[in-house]
Amino acid sequence: KPMPVGIIGKLPSKRTIQHLPVGTGAEAKNGTRIDVRYSMLFWRGPLEIAASLWKDGEQPEAVNRLGKGRLLPGLDKGLVGMKVGGIRQIVIPPADGFGPAGSPPVKGDDTLVFIAQLVAVIK
């Protein structure tokens, strides 16, 4: 399936979440293991895909202990509460992302956009 992208409006200064749609399955809670598919984009000029697990045949990423610092802070917090089958657009400002130094190719002042689909919650 093609990756959905729906960025509208001005650059936000705090983490924002938009549901594209809400899922109906099990809910991702702090401490649970999840499988998630995502694409990370830079919010700079024309949208630029930085990384993606959304391609056909790509396995979703397994995340152990959601909400416990295994992912970028903004993504870790932004996935909590999702339901299986749901898709979220999570906009992460620099302070909630890689930090002042960044992590090439991400610059410290980059705002990131994640389009994430929750594939499974494993208890």
Side-chain angles (χ1 to χ4, degrees):
K1 293 181 180 180
M3 177 192 62
V5 177
I7 297 174
I8 300 170
K10 66 178 187 166
L11 183 68
S13 59
K14 62 181 182 178
R15 181 177 3 104
T16 62
I17 295 173
Q18 178 182 1
H19 297 275
L20 312 165
V22 175
T24 57
E27 184 176 335
K29 297 180 182 179
N30 278 318
T32 57
R33 180 182 178 267
I34 65 167
D35 288 345
V36 64
R37 198 175 263 124
Y38 63 83
S39 288
M40 180 181 83
L41 301 98
F42 295 121
W43 188 314
R44 42 167 121 128
L47 287 177
E48 177 184 337
I49 296 177
S52 184
L53 290 176
W54 207 288
K55 300 173 188 141
D56 286 338
E58 288 280 340
Q59 292 297 314
E61 181 172 343
V63 178
N64 289 312
R65 298 172 23 116
L66 179 64
K68 304 296 181 186
R70 308 253 182 209
L71 300 168
L72 289 177
L75 184 58
D76 212 22
K77 295 170 190 162
L79 294 172
V80 172
M82 274 189 88
K83 293 185 177 181
V84 171
I87 298 173
R88 279 187 181 173
Q89 173 183 287
I90 306 165
V91 180
I92 303 173
D96 222 7
F98 282 97
S103 178
V106 180
K107 299 174 187 169
D109 62 349
D110 273 330
T111 294
L112 303 172
V113 179
F114 282 84
I115 309 296
Q117 179 186 39
L118 186 59
V119 176
V121 173
I122 297 106
K123 301 192 180 209

